[in-house]
Amino acid sequence: MKRNFKYLLGLAFITISATVSTQAQGNKEYQEQYRPQVHFSPKQHWINDPNGMVYFNHTYHLFFQYYPKDIVWGPMHWGHAESKDLIHWKQLPIALYPDSLGYIFSGSAVVDSNNTSGFGKKGKIPLVAIFTHHDPKGEKEGKDNFQNESLAYSLDNGTTWTKYSGNPVLKNPGIKDFRDPKVMWYARQKKWVMTLATKDHITFYSATDLKNWKKESEFGLTEGAHGGVWECPDLFPLKLNGKTYWVLIVNLNPGGPNGGSATQYFIGQFNGSKFTPMDTQTRWLDYGPDEYAGITWGNTGNRKIFLGWMSNWEYANQVPTEKWRNAMTIPRELSLKQVKSGIVIASTPVKELSGIHTQNVLLKNVQVNKTLDLSPKVNGFKGQYILKLNMVQLKGYTIKLSNKRAEELLIGYNAAKGEYFIDRTKAGKTDFQKNFAGRFTAPRLSTAKSSDITLVIDKASVEVFADGGLSTMTAIYFPNADLSDLSITSTDKLNISGLALTGLQSIWK
Ligand code: FRU
């Protein structure tokens, strides 16, 4: 991680009582300028990575790196929110507080249905969290073993948590960056597999009881992108044409394709012990600047649902929000697709998003020779909507979101270069960090003649899913007034066979 944990070491451990009530959400809260209306953000204070994402008893749990005292990164807690539909979130009291072993860094949670851990009591299935204890004292003293893996369990659906008395369960062998355990059940060998980020590679461990971990193998020293530290990994199977492949997600900071933090992944095979990639390509799950630490929910059957933190360590601590800082992406369903360059992941917003669709404007066979002004059609949408275009033949185009102050966000396709782009150079406030203003690109991976693009637009963010989600980009922006105007420009006689504009209802009302 680029930002330094060290400058915060002077801060004492804090134990504060939960400040977030489980009711009283919505209404006046969640109304600030830049407050996402269709994405999860904390009621107040700082968040980063999604943690412990698990589906249990018809509920999606979302824990997250949380500092409940300020809007900058600080001693980490696990905040908690839950949802029945992946779209409406209810923020709950803090799940895990720092303790004598350190801050509570990122990790995962599993449903221990067979009570392998022995934490279950009276037939209650334990939810077990596996997280990194980051000891700021050890770090300050220049030790190399200040990150260790620990457990906590809950017997009441994730509401309250007890830390395991035998923590840590996996001790650091002397690697400074030794963190972010993602644990899954490997049914074939009846064991848990932990995927751990260990500085510049991944180390796999296994255990039958979640407590006694044995090293299995290492991966990645010579594979993938290495512009920064490897963090927040994930490992899971996905099928394509009846065949199972294993996806290994590795978040990287810095070193992303558009600067700073980003999510890379590998596709290959995993045999319970070792991951073998199918090729040497570096793949990116999202090319935009603002999707990081993305991983998937556990216990969702054949569905693989991904969520990332919608920011970038380059400026996450400086973005101009006042009461709260940072939000999560829309949950996305992942699938594998075969393209010319190999097998890749396609991401699409989860189907549950349709639960907040409001009015729909549909246009058919629209020719864009110059500029098509859609502003009157989106005026009623209050800045949160989906734009979807289908094109029988892909040509260059620019979608512009703008306001009367000449601030504009540009999204489009550059046909000469074969790439999608987001340009936020003139989209409002950018001076809080030198790398914020910029133009970001993603290669087009599809070779089809036809194309589609879906934009999920919120108050201050856009997520771009092009060609069925083969090229995905996320960016945040901070205009001085809402970007409530919308137009599409093309000088190439772009024929849009279908154009849909769909309003989205705020999730906080
Ligand atoms: C990734 C990360 C993790 C770490 C956490 C600390 O954004 O650096 O590696 O566990 O944030 O908040």
Side-chain angles (χ1 to χ4, degrees):
M1 72 223 82
K2 199 170 141 207
R3 81 226 174 276
N4 212 335
F5 292 133
K6 286 181 192 150
Y7 79 102
L8 287 147
L9 292 176
L11 291 169
F13 287 165
I14 12 160
T15 323
I16 61 154
S17 55
T19 49
V20 180
S21 96
T22 53
Q23 298 108 30
Q25 307 218 10
N27 332 344
K28 294 233 172 73
E29 268 119 22
Y30 300 93
Q31 300 281 305
E32 304 89 346
Q33 193 187 19
Y34 308 135
R35 174 68 89 170
Q37 294 301 308
V38 301
H39 292 82
F40 175 77
S41 61
K43 193 165 170 183
Q44 47 186 347
H45 299 131
W46 165 274
I47 65 164
N48 55 288
D49 315 355
N51 295 150
M53 298 198 298
V54 68
Y55 183 62
F56 185 53
N57 276 347
H58 312 286
T59 303
Y60 294 93
H61 290 274
L62 169 63
F63 300 88
F64 45 87
Q65 290 285 280
Y66 186 42
Y67 183 41
K69 284 240 154 157
D70 205 343
I71 54 163
V72 290
W73 190 89
M76 284 288 112
H77 300 54
W78 272 27
H80 187 194
E82 62 177 35
S83 173
K84 296 283 180 204
D85 63 358
L86 291 163
I87 304 297
H88 295 89
W89 294 96
K90 180 164 153 187
Q91 193 171 340
L92 298 167
I94 291 171
L96 296 172
Y97 288 83
D99 57 41
S100 61
L101 294 176
Y103 305 161
I104 313 298
F105 270 23
S106 289
S108 49
V110 296
V111 179
D112 185 12
S113 308
N114 302 323
N115 198 18
T116 62
S117 60
F119 292 142
K121 304 245 156 58
K122 297 185 188 149
K124 280 191 188 154
I125 294 177
L127 270 183
V128 181
I130 309 94
F131 60 89
T132 301
H133 256 129
H134 171 96
D135 172 22
K137 260 178 47 218
E139 185 187 25
K140 197 176 177 190
E141 288 161 10
K143 294 194 175 142
D144 55 11
N145 61 351
F146 51 85
Q147 296 188 337
N148 295 280
E149 314 326 314
S150 289
L151 304 179
Y153 62 92
S154 169
L155 298 176
D156 58 2
N157 297 317
T159 309
T160 59
W161 292 82
T162 307
K163 298 211 184 91
Y164 174 46
S165 55
N167 282 341
V169 290
L170 174 59
K171 290 208 176 115
N172 191 318
I175 304 174
K176 277 193 180 140
D177 299 293
F178 189 76
R179 59 177 178 270
D180 309 340
K182 183 73 161 61
V183 175
M184 59 157 293
W185 178 245
Y186 190 74
R188 230 185 238 186
Q189 294 171 12
K190 294 198 173 52
K191 67 182 187 187
W192 300 100
V193 170
M194 179 197 291
T195 306
L196 192 71
T198 48
K199 190 180 166 202
D200 51 2
H201 63 284
I202 294 298
T203 308
F204 296 104
Y205 293 85
S206 71
T208 51
D209 58 358
L210 290 166
K211 292 173 179 161
N212 294 289
W213 294 96
K214 169 180 150 240
K215 181 168 165 179
E216 291 284 352
S217 67
E218 296 181 357
F219 167 78
L221 267 176
T222 54
E223 287 90 355
H226 283 273
V229 181
W230 283 25
E231 302 183 313
C232 300
D234 195 0
L235 174 74
F236 51 87
L238 266 186
K239 281 199 169 139
L240 176 65
N241 301 328
K243 186 169 173 206
T244 300
Y245 295 85
W246 285 78
V247 175
L248 174 63
I249 286 182
V250 177
N251 285 277
L252 174 74
N253 179 55
N258 276 297
S261 326
T263 305
Q264 65 177 318
Y265 66 96
F266 304 87
I267 295 183
Q269 290 304 329
F270 182 71
N271 64 5
S273 171
K274 197 173 178 309
F275 179 81
T276 311
M278 64 190 297
D279 56 40
T280 55
Q281 270 186 71
T282 299
R283 296 166 164 85
W284 298 100
L285 215 142
D286 186 310
Y287 282 84
D290 295 310
E291 180 285 303
Y292 190 57
I295 46 170
T296 64
W297 261 277
N299 206 32
T300 52
N302 289 333
R303 274 185 96 183
K304 261 298 147 193
I305 306 164
F306 171 95
L307 179 98
W309 176 48
M310 198 153 57
S311 194
N312 189 315
W313 281 118
E314 293 215 318
Y315 41 71
N317 277 281
Q318 285 103 42
V319 293
T321 55
E322 280 162 14
K323 202 168 141 197
W324 55 279
R325 256 212 194 112
N326 306 320
M328 300 299 182
T329 66
I330 284 291
R332 303 168 182 178
E333 181 123 14
L334 304 184
S335 60
L336 293 180
K337 295 271 161 8
Q338 177 77 54
V339 296
K340 206 171 158 207
S341 58
I343 297 173
V344 293
I345 287 182
S347 320
T348 49
V350 289
K351 61 177 187 309
E352 286 85 346
L353 191 57
S354 65
I356 55 168
H357 284 184
T358 58
Q359 322 95 291
N360 225 333
V361 178
L362 292 171
L363 302 176
K364 288 214 158 128
N365 296 321
V366 193
Q367 267 242 342
V368 188
N369 286 326
K370 237 175 130 197
T371 295
L372 172 69
D373 182 13
L374 293 165
S375 305
K377 307 234 182 291
V378 293
N379 274 349
F381 288 164
K382 300 202 176 74
Q384 68 245 14
Y385 59 93
I386 300 176
L387 167 66
K388 179 159 191 195
L389 308 181
N390 283 304
M391 294 146 282
V392 179
Q393 193 182 356
L394 177 60
K395 297 187 171 168
Y397 60 87
T398 299
I399 300 165
K400 181 161 94 176
L401 277 72
S402 58
N403 61 21
K404 305 286 176 280
R405 300 180 183 215
E407 293 175 340
E408 56 183 39
L409 176 79
L410 307 176
I411 299 143
Y413 179 66
N414 180 326
K417 294 194 166 158
E419 62 191 26
Y420 293 97
F421 62 87
I422 300 179
D423 188 337
R424 65 179 174 197
T425 319
K426 291 191 251 161
K429 295 181 184 136
T430 58
D431 60 357
F432 49 88
Q433 204 271 345
K434 64 175 179 5
N435 294 335
F436 188 81
R439 188 176 183 277
F440 311 99
T441 59
R444 182 173 196 241
L445 300 183
S446 168
T447 43
K449 207 170 145 202
S450 61
S451 181
D452 60 79
I453 189 166
T454 299
L455 309 187
V456 178
I457 294 161
D458 204 337
K459 290 282 176 201
S461 67
V462 64
E463 288 158 277
V464 179
F465 304 91
D467 301 309
L470 289 175
S471 300
T472 298
M473 300 180 85
T474 304
I476 54 175
Y477 45 92
F478 300 94
N480 289 296
D482 285 356
L483 299 182
S484 43
D485 292 338
L486 176 71
S487 65
I488 305 176
T489 305
S490 177
T491 45
D492 282 343
K493 291 202 178 106
L494 175 71
N495 199 341
I496 302 174
S497 49
L499 184 158
L501 279 163
T502 310
L504 294 172
Q505 182 148 42
S506 169
I507 62 172
W508 305 117
K509 285 184 180 143

